[in-house]
Amino acid sequence: MTEAAATAEELSAAAHRPQSLLLSFFGALVVDFGLPPLPSMTLLDLLGDLGVAEAAARATLKRMTQRGLLVRGQVGRTAEYALTPLAEDVIREARERVVSPTPFDHPADEWTLLSYSVPESRRDLRHRVRARLSWAGFGGVRDGLWIAPGTVDVAAVLGRSDLAGVADLADAFAARPLPGTDLDRLVHRAWDVPAVRRAHTWFIETWSSPPRVGGSLAQLTLLGADWLSLLRTDPGLPAAHLGPDWPAAVSSATYRRVFDGLEPAARAALERGLRATGRI
């Protein structure tokens, strides 16, 4: 099952995995804010407030370190963690869309076509390539042919260090539909439009009355994880081909309202915690 075909509940479960929660937290409150490496207890307490057991949280920190997303340090008896440059770059790239007031909008009738093939000898790359393409807004039209709304910088999408060489296996074109092209049918073939609508509806209903979790820091982290999940699900499909009352604008307004309400208190809570440990 592709991400676009997943139910809203399945997308929520994926968004609430400990790694997704931590990346949401780092993206909202840490990257580019001049903070030092964070004590492990700061991260464990945050995940605990979100219902993650300590053993699972510690295992997540270990896996993220092994995968090159976190760097572990030691100050006395206290472990501390910081993002690697790769993880920071991923978060900065995602942030452009996260903070956009119109993350689901693209110029009308502009599309990017991409054809690529990963040889059998490089099957280990296939999952990473598909995940990157999904985040960049691509949906599969048929084997080896993908399409995304708007004009996508494919070189940037496939040029990340963990995808070395993949750009050489792909060909991309900026495209406009010719007369007679059934764009409605094309959009519904490449994306599960009803599932995308359900994901928007779930997000709006969930965050219209924010869920009760342990404090503003945990709430902001959960909001960011759900928002990133929605951005992965809807690449910005053109509303003209999606039926009446497409909910993307309402989702954007909901996210911005809740984020603006939570962010000051969450940042203050994080700074209080770091001050108590002598980190700032």
Side-chain angles (χ1 to χ4, degrees), residues 6 16-17 45 58 274-275 278:
H16 297 169
R17 290 170 184 156
D45 287 347
R58 290 187 181 278
L274 293 178
R275 205 172 286 118

Side-chain angles (χ1 to χ4, degrees), residues 196-254:
V196 177
R197 179 185 282 274
R198 288 195 298 272
H200 276 288
T201 300
W202 180 89
F203 181 86
I204 294 165
E205 291 178 348
T206 297
W207 287 100
S208 292
S209 298
R212 295 183 180 278
V213 293
S216 57
L217 189 58
Q219 276 198 324
L220 188 73
T221 297
L222 196 63
L223 170 70
D226 286 345
W227 183 235
L228 283 164
S229 178
L230 182 58
L231 292 175
R232 290 189 187 97
T233 305
D234 183 355
L237 302 181
H241 306 287
L242 301 172
D245 302 322
W246 186 248
V250 179
S251 293
S252 295
T254 300

Side-chain angles (χ1 to χ4, degrees), residues 140-187:
V141 178
R142 54 178 58 90
D143 287 347
L145 182 63
W146 294 62
I147 188 170
T151 301
V152 178
D153 185 348
V154 173
V157 170
L158 298 180
R160 211 169 68 188
S161 60
D162 61 334
L163 298 178
V166 172
D168 295 335
L169 307 174
D171 299 296
F173 304 86
R176 291 182 180 273
L178 293 174
T181 300
D182 188 342
L183 279 177
D184 287 355
R185 183 170 61 87
L186 180 64
V187 167

Side-chain angles (χ1 to χ4, degrees), residues 29-76:
L29 295 169
V30 178
V31 174
D32 296 329
F33 287 103
L35 294 179
L38 302 182
S40 59
M41 287 310 301
T42 298
L43 304 177
L44 296 175
D45 287 347
L46 171 66
L47 291 177
D49 287 342
L50 291 165
V52 179
E54 182 174 338
R58 290 187 181 278
T60 298
L61 293 175
K62 182 177 180 179
R63 282 195 301 271
M64 291 179 70
T65 302
Q66 292 170 338
R67 291 171 181 170
L69 297 174
L70 291 176
V71 175
R72 186 183 187 277
Q74 193 81 23
V75 177

